[in-house]
Amino acid sequence: MKKRVVLILVCIAVVVSIFLIKTGDKAENKVENTLEKSESVEEELVSLILKGNLTKEQKKEMLALLPDVDWQKGSEIRIDKNYDASSKIVDWLYSEAEGANIKDADDILNVIKTYVDSNLDGAYTEGVSAALGEIYIYDMENFVKALHQIPEAIKDMASVLQFEGIYTVQMHDVGEDMSLFLNSSILDEKEKKTGIQLLQEYNALCNT
């Protein structure tokens, strides 16, 4: 009789242990899934920015994420008393552009897409516009190479050139830059036409 009772108790203990292990695994998985889903694109970018010492590969990945940023959502995520997530991202982007760190056509394309395809508004729009102005100044040919991949953005980029004063305040010469595009060894013939079209759109804006 005693042996039977002991055997029953052992069986109960085993069943309870298995139940607790499975319950614990489910709870752990649930926490992990919640953590994975809780970090938005905006939070991920800010986390990397605050971490610092970013590699070139990390920066490329960050630029690739830019078109997916929800700027309105980011404006509601406070980083400190001076920054929300969206302003922190724009500040980082401008710093990279000003430091001539955005040169690859694919990276430039992602910044252009961010300007034309996302829900930018207000100061965020101005910040990305300023970054594009810096990128254009430092590497016009790769800027045009990137723009060729998204021709519907040509008018928007002409507006950026005008707004940022590239050919007024910055004192660049439209004629010289047309020659640069036409004689470029980096651009193919179709890309050269995109460069010329960009400057023609710029001239048209200035004459209206």
Side-chain angles (χ1 to χ4, degrees):
M1 181 69 178
K2 288 183 179 179
K3 289 183 178 179
R4 184 178 296 177
V5 171
V6 171
L7 182 59
I8 292 171
L9 289 174
V10 170
C11 290
I12 292 172
V14 171
V15 171
V16 170
S17 297
I18 293 172
F19 174 78
L20 290 174
I21 290 170
K22 288 185 176 180
T23 302
D25 288 343
K26 287 180 180 178
E28 186 176 349
N29 288 336
K30 188 174 181 181
V31 171
E32 288 177 357
N33 290 337
T34 300
L35 288 173
E36 288 173 2
K37 292 178 181 178
S38 67
E39 189 167 54
S40 63
V41 172
E42 301 77 30
E43 290 168 328
E44 182 179 353
L45 286 171
V46 168
S47 177
L48 287 166
I49 292 168
L50 294 177
K51 179 182 177 182
N53 296 319
L54 300 168
T55 64
K56 184 177 179 180
E57 289 71 23
Q58 285 176 314
K59 290 180 180 181
K60 286 185 74 68
E61 290 173 3
M62 291 169 71
L63 291 168
L65 287 174
L66 278 183
D68 297 324
V69 170
D70 184 330
W71 300 97
Q72 179 58 43
K73 182 178 179 181
S75 70
E76 298 169 359
I77 301 173
R78 297 304 307 177
I79 306 302
D80 53 41
K81 65 179 181 179
N82 296 318
Y83 286 101
D84 55 57
S86 290
S87 59
K88 192 71 175 178
I89 293 167
V90 170
D91 187 66
W92 171 81
L93 174 63
Y94 181 77
S95 177
E96 288 296 305
E98 187 180 34
N101 295 322
I102 304 176
K103 298 178 179 179
D104 292 347
D106 289 342
D107 295 337
I108 297 171
L109 177 61
N110 283 320
V111 183
I112 294 174
K113 285 181 177 178
T114 300
Y115 186 85
V116 299
D117 292 340
S118 64
N119 63 337
L120 279 172
D121 189 26
Y124 308 134
T125 306
E126 293 178 5
V128 176
S129 174
L132 284 165
E134 294 292 335
I135 293 169
Y136 180 80
I137 289 172
Y138 286 117
D139 199 335
M140 295 180 189
E141 289 166 293
N142 270 326
F143 187 98
V144 168
K145 187 176 284 288
L147 183 57
H148 182 70
Q149 299 179 59
I150 183 170
E152 62 271 22
I154 289 176
K155 288 186 177 181
D156 286 315
M157 293 304 100
S159 295
V160 165
L161 299 185
Q162 183 185 43
F163 186 77
E164 298 305 323
I166 303 300
Y167 293 102
T168 52
V169 178
Q170 302 286 352
M171 300 301 291
H172 277 254
D173 184 87
V174 174
E176 288 181 3
D177 289 344
M178 278 193 177
S179 295
L180 173 68
F181 296 149
L182 287 171
N183 298 312
S184 173
S185 60
I186 296 174
L187 303 175
D188 62 31
E189 291 305 313
K190 291 182 178 179
E191 291 167 342
K192 290 177 181 180
K193 289 180 180 178
T194 297
I196 299 303
Q197 187 179 351
L198 171 65
L199 295 181
Q200 288 173 339
E201 288 288 350
Y202 169 80
N203 282 332
L205 280 174
C206 294
N207 292 327
T208 56

PDB file of all heavy atoms in Angstrom, residues 167 173-180 199:
ATOM      1  N   TYR A 167      22.896  77.056 -55.549  1.00  0.00           N
ATOM      2  CA  TYR A 167      23.434  77.892 -56.619  1.00  0.00           C
ATOM      3  C   TYR A 167      23.289  79.387 -56.339  1.00  0.00           C
ATOM      4  O   TYR A 167      23.505  80.209 -57.233  1.00  0.00           O
ATOM      5  CB  TYR A 167      22.764  77.515 -57.947  1.00  0.00           C
ATOM      6  CG  TYR A 167      23.150  76.119 -58.382  1.00  0.00           C
ATOM      7  CD1 TYR A 167      22.275  75.047 -58.203  1.00  0.00           C
ATOM      8  CD2 TYR A 167      24.402  75.860 -58.932  1.00  0.00           C
ATOM      9  CE1 TYR A 167      22.637  73.755 -58.571  1.00  0.00           C
ATOM     10  CE2 TYR A 167      24.777  74.583 -59.297  1.00  0.00           C
ATOM     11  CZ  TYR A 167      23.895  73.538 -59.120  1.00  0.00           C
ATOM     12  OH  TYR A 167      24.270  72.268 -59.478  1.00  0.00           O
ATOM     13  N   ASP A 173      27.915  76.953 -59.649  1.00  0.00           N
ATOM     14  CA  ASP A 173      27.556  77.464 -60.965  1.00  0.00           C
ATOM     15  C   ASP A 173      26.816  76.381 -61.754  1.00  0.00           C
ATOM     16  O   ASP A 173      27.356  75.277 -61.948  1.00  0.00           O
ATOM     17  CB  ASP A 173      28.813  77.906 -61.716  1.00  0.00           C
ATOM     18  CG  ASP A 173      28.483  78.537 -63.051  1.00  0.00           C
ATOM     19  OD1 ASP A 173      28.240  79.756 -63.073  1.00  0.00           O
ATOM     20  OD2 ASP A 173      28.450  77.793 -64.057  1.00  0.00           O
ATOM     21  N   VAL A 174      25.602  76.677 -62.194  1.00  0.00           N
ATOM     22  CA  VAL A 174      24.791  75.706 -62.910  1.00  0.00           C
ATOM     23  C   VAL A 174      25.486  75.232 -64.184  1.00  0.00           C
ATOM     24  O   VAL A 174      25.522  74.032 -64.495  1.00  0.00           O
ATOM     25  CB  VAL A 174      23.401  76.287 -63.256  1.00  0.00           C
ATOM     26  CG1 VAL A 174      22.619  75.317 -64.145  1.00  0.00           C
ATOM     27  CG2 VAL A 174      22.612  76.591 -61.994  1.00  0.00           C
ATOM     28  N   GLY A 175      26.060  76.174 -64.937  1.00  0.00           N
ATOM     29  CA  GLY A 175      26.739  75.828 -66.185  1.00  0.00           C
ATOM     30  C   GLY A 175      27.917  74.891 -65.950  1.00  0.00           C
ATOM     31  O   GLY A 175      28.114  73.923 -66.702  1.00  0.00           O
ATOM     32  N   GLU A 176      28.688  75.162 -64.919  1.00  0.00           N
ATOM     33  CA  GLU A 176      29.844  74.311 -64.613  1.00  0.00           C
ATOM     34  C   GLU A 176      29.395  72.903 -64.224  1.00  0.00           C
ATOM     35  O   GLU A 176      30.020  71.906 -64.618  1.00  0.00           O
ATOM     36  CB  GLU A 176      30.667  74.929 -63.481  1.00  0.00           C
ATOM     37  CG  GLU A 176      31.446  76.165 -63.888  1.00  0.00           C
ATOM     38  CD  GLU A 176      32.273  76.727 -62.749  1.00  0.00           C
ATOM     39  OE1 GLU A 176      32.273  76.106 -61.655  1.00  0.00           O
ATOM     40  OE2 GLU A 176      32.915  77.766 -62.937  1.00  0.00           O
ATOM     41  N   ASP A 177      28.301  72.834 -63.472  1.00  0.00           N
ATOM     42  CA  ASP A 177      27.830  71.512 -63.043  1.00  0.00           C
ATOM     43  C   ASP A 177      27.190  70.738 -64.190  1.00  0.00           C
ATOM     44  O   ASP A 177      27.262  69.505 -64.236  1.00  0.00           O
ATOM     45  CB  ASP A 177      26.858  71.655 -61.865  1.00  0.00           C
ATOM     46  CG  ASP A 177      27.576  72.087 -60.596  1.00  0.00           C
ATOM     47  OD1 ASP A 177      28.816  71.976 -60.550  1.00  0.00           O
ATOM     48  OD2 ASP A 177      26.910  72.538 -59.652  1.00  0.00           O
ATOM     49  N   MET A 178      26.596  71.451 -65.146  1.00  0.00           N
ATOM     50  CA  MET A 178      26.105  70.777 -66.349  1.00  0.00           C
ATOM     51  C   MET A 178      27.264  70.150 -67.103  1.00  0.00           C
ATOM     52  O   MET A 178      27.182  69.009 -67.571  1.00  0.00           O
ATOM     53  CB  MET A 178      25.356  71.768 -67.243  1.00  0.00           C
ATOM     54  CG  MET A 178      23.925  72.014 -66.841  1.00  0.00           C
ATOM     55  SD  MET A 178      23.013  72.874 -68.137  1.00  0.00           S
ATOM     56  CE  MET A 178      21.365  72.929 -67.431  1.00  0.00           C
ATOM     57  N   SER A 179      28.352  70.892 -67.205  1.00  0.00           N
ATOM     58  CA  SER A 179      29.554  70.363 -67.874  1.00  0.00           C
ATOM     59  C   SER A 179      30.118  69.170 -67.113  1.00  0.00           C
ATOM     60  O   SER A 179      30.582  68.196 -67.717  1.00  0.00           O
ATOM     61  CB  SER A 179      30.627  71.455 -67.979  1.00  0.00           C
ATOM     62  OG  SER A 179      30.193  72.514 -68.811  1.00  0.00           O
ATOM     63  N   LEU A 180      30.069  69.257 -65.779  1.00  0.00           N
ATOM     64  CA  LEU A 180      30.543  68.148 -64.956  1.00  0.00           C
ATOM     65  C   LEU A 180      29.773  66.873 -65.267  1.00  0.00           C
ATOM     66  O   LEU A 180      30.367  65.800 -65.448  1.00  0.00           O
ATOM     67  CB  LEU A 180      30.384  68.504 -63.473  1.00  0.00           C
ATOM     68  CG  LEU A 180      30.679  67.383 -62.462  1.00  0.00           C
ATOM     69  CD1 LEU A 180      32.164  67.029 -62.459  1.00  0.00           C
ATOM     70  CD2 LEU A 180      30.233  67.780 -61.064  1.00  0.00           C
ATOM     71  N   LEU A 199      19.029  69.922 -63.368  1.00  0.00           N
ATOM     72  CA  LEU A 199      19.402  71.336 -63.415  1.00  0.00           C
ATOM     73  C   LEU A 199      18.416  72.154 -64.254  1.00  0.00           C
ATOM     74  O   LEU A 199      18.179  73.328 -63.969  1.00  0.00           O
ATOM     75  CB  LEU A 199      20.826  71.479 -63.949  1.00  0.00           C
ATOM     76  CG  LEU A 199      21.912  70.867 -63.040  1.00  0.00           C
ATOM     77  CD1 LEU A 199      23.297  71.080 -63.649  1.00  0.00           C
ATOM     78  CD2 LEU A 199      21.856  71.482 -61.642  1.00  0.00           C
TER      79      LEU A 199
END
